[in-house]
Amino acid sequence: MSLEKVISISGKPGLYKLVTQTRGGFVAESLIDKKRISVSVQNNVSVLSEIAIYTLTEEVPLAQVFENIKVKENGEKASVKPKDSKDKLEEYFFSILPEYDEDRVYASDIKKVIQWYNLLQEHKLLDNLVEAEATESSEEEA
């Protein structure tokens, strides 16, 4: 599954998988507890495939950041915990994305990326992530 079907809902913990569309929004299933919820168009929703991390030169898609973490961790969970100190989080993030923009990427953003990575890794949704995103992008352009 690609990040096109994975969303973050403002005010709700964790990540959700899009299940189906409804008249006034859509149904999403929590990756944490598998509970389904109805999400209206008024909810603030972010599709993970649309999120990018600022660097000094460009914006790096979240899929690439996840791939960098996966390579560093050999496919295992992140070695740093989301509740670690700000300095430790920033040091870790520099090791996976050396050019990230410290002024625009906050410790809270890094925590979220690590939490999301661990959740996706736990559910085995990180396989071929960059390839899947590239394939979908080229299909959309065609």
Side-chain angles (χ1 to χ4, degrees):
M1 182 171 76
S2 74
L3 295 183
E4 290 282 327
K5 302 250 188 251
V6 181
I7 61 171
S8 170
I9 303 170
S10 183
K12 304 242 184 242
L15 295 173
Y16 293 81
K17 178 173 64 174
L18 287 173
V19 177
T20 188
Q21 198 164 350
T22 63
R23 235 184 253 172
F26 50 90
V27 175
E29 182 180 279
S30 171
L31 290 181
I32 296 173
D33 59 13
K34 302 288 183 210
K35 288 184 181 173
R36 290 186 175 196
I37 62 168
S38 180
V39 182
S40 75
V41 290
Q42 279 83 26
N43 288 84
N44 189 6
V45 174
S46 299
V47 180
L48 264 56
S49 63
E50 301 292 319
I51 297 174
I53 303 295
Y54 293 113
T55 68
L56 299 173
T57 55
E58 61 182 341
E59 292 180 16
V60 176
L62 195 55
Q64 184 60 55
V65 175
F66 287 153
E67 188 65 27
N68 292 358
I69 296 173
K70 184 179 168 188
V71 168
K72 178 180 173 63
E73 303 296 348
N74 295 319
E76 299 298 317
K77 283 196 167 196
S79 55
V80 68
K81 293 176 178 39
K83 295 192 183 216
D84 283 343
S85 71
K86 177 183 182 226
D87 292 339
K88 192 169 183 179
L89 291 170
E90 289 176 348
E91 182 182 325
Y92 179 80
F93 217 62
F94 264 120
S95 72
I96 58 159
L97 197 63
E99 292 265 308
Y100 93 89
D101 189 341
E102 292 175 84
D103 295 331
R104 299 198 294 179
V105 179
Y106 304 109
S108 59
D109 300 326
I110 297 171
K111 285 180 186 185
K112 218 178 266 189
V113 168
I114 292 167
Q115 286 172 330
W116 289 350
Y117 170 83
N118 286 338
L119 192 56
L120 292 169
Q121 189 275 338
E122 189 178 307
H123 288 84
K124 302 190 183 349
L125 298 175
L126 292 169
D127 299 333
N128 304 321
L129 204 53
V130 173
E131 292 87 354
E133 294 299 315
T135 302
E136 285 180 12
S137 294
S138 62
E139 286 173 3
E140 286 174 10
E141 291 170 7

